[in-house]
Amino acid sequence: ALRLFSELETAPEPYRTAARLCMFLGLRRGELCGLSWDDVDFERSLISVRRNVLYNSDDGLYEDTPKTYSSIRDIKVSDSIMGMLKEYKTAQKAYSDELGDKWEDTNKIFTNPMGGWLRPDSFSKWFSKFCKDKGFENTHAHTLRHTSATLMIMNGVPLRVVSQRLGHNSTTVTNDIYTHVIQRADEMAAAALDKALFSCNKSDESIA
């Protein structure tokens, strides 16, 4: 995960910021493409997920509500992510000023080269190719969401919080999807306690 996050530094915009944000927030690709600048609260460091961009051959690109009611959520983000978004917004503004009237002002955070909506499958195709070129096997856009969840669980974030950030209906859904990760975290917790308690015991015995 750390190597992928680092490799993304070499990626072109808007994909670099999009992929990093997706990894941090655990967004679905349609939620990522649905984000607008109005969804970002820079003062409170919050990002609101309110829309989902979808595509099919009959309707083309269209917007809908997120997958479930629970998917409508506000996600707290770090100062580092806020700083990354501010830099990206400044760069986007400079680019749109260069294009002038050719720029389509949709107010979307992530757009196609002319300012229009970014297709979710365009992001997926780019990300898969990028990962393959960098030597990451079987890595796709949804991997970013799984990586986010795994990092939270392995770092002791309560399952309820993980579930809320991912937009799941309940912790049961999260538990079912990430059972293997939770089991691994549990094993690590047991090992850490064993080391802390029994090494302390041995230390006390040697002193005695």
Side-chain angles (χ1 to χ4, degrees):
L2 291 176
R3 186 167 81 84
L4 176 56
F5 196 81
S6 179
E7 289 284 6
L8 284 168
E9 181 63 34
T10 64
E13 296 290 15
Y15 299 116
R16 175 175 57 188
T17 299
R20 285 182 156 189
L21 189 67
C22 200
M23 181 184 289
F24 191 88
L25 299 182
L27 298 175
R28 302 174 179 94
R29 64 178 191 171
E31 294 172 343
L32 177 79
C33 295
L35 291 176
S36 74
W37 286 113
D38 292 337
D39 296 322
V40 183
D41 187 332
F42 285 104
E43 289 187 8
R44 296 193 297 157
S45 296
L46 286 174
I47 292 181
S48 300
V49 179
R50 298 287 182 270
R51 290 169 299 279
N52 197 27
V53 169
L54 303 166
Y55 175 84
N56 63 49
S57 56
D58 293 329
D59 304 312
L61 273 179
Y62 67 98
E63 243 178 15
D64 201 352
T65 53
K67 188 175 180 181
T68 65
Y69 180 76
S70 301
S71 297
I72 299 173
R73 61 205 188 275
D74 295 329
I75 308 175
K76 187 75 174 179
V77 298
S78 68
D79 291 341
S80 297
I81 294 296
M82 282 287 102
M84 180 184 75
L85 279 176
K86 285 177 181 177
E87 289 182 10
Y88 172 78
K89 187 175 186 181
T90 299
Q92 186 189 65
K93 178 65 167 59
Y95 176 72
S96 65
D97 286 346
E98 281 184 24
L99 287 186
D101 294 340
K102 295 179 181 178
W103 176 261
E104 183 183 354
D105 189 10
T106 58
N107 201 39
K108 292 294 185 190
I109 297 179
F110 304 112
T111 70
N112 64 32
M114 304 309 291
W117 290 4
L118 178 65
R119 284 176 48 159
D121 61 331
S122 295
F123 172 71
S124 294
K125 288 175 183 176
W126 172 84
F127 185 73
S128 293
K129 184 179 185 305
F130 176 83
C131 288
K132 186 176 181 180
D133 291 344
K134 295 295 182 179
F136 295 97
E137 297 298 326
N138 300 317
T139 305
H140 44 80
H142 207 67
T143 303
L144 294 168
R145 180 169 165 84
H146 288 314
T147 300
S148 182
T150 300
L151 288 173
M152 285 189 283
I153 293 168
M154 297 302 287
N155 281 279
V157 176
L159 196 62
R160 176 183 59 81
V161 177
V162 176
S163 182
Q164 288 174 347
R165 289 181 70 92
L166 294 177
H168 286 159
N169 279 327
S170 67
T171 55
T172 303
V173 175
T174 313
N175 186 78
D176 289 346
I177 296 173
Y178 297 103
T179 298
H180 64 293
V181 179
I182 294 168
Q183 289 175 344
R184 176 59 182 149
D186 197 31
E187 291 169 1
M188 290 177 65
L193 284 167
D194 185 273
K195 182 178 179 181
L197 294 174
F198 285 95
S199 63
C200 180
N201 233 8
K202 291 175 182 176
S203 180
D204 288 344
E205 288 173 5
S206 65
I207 292 173

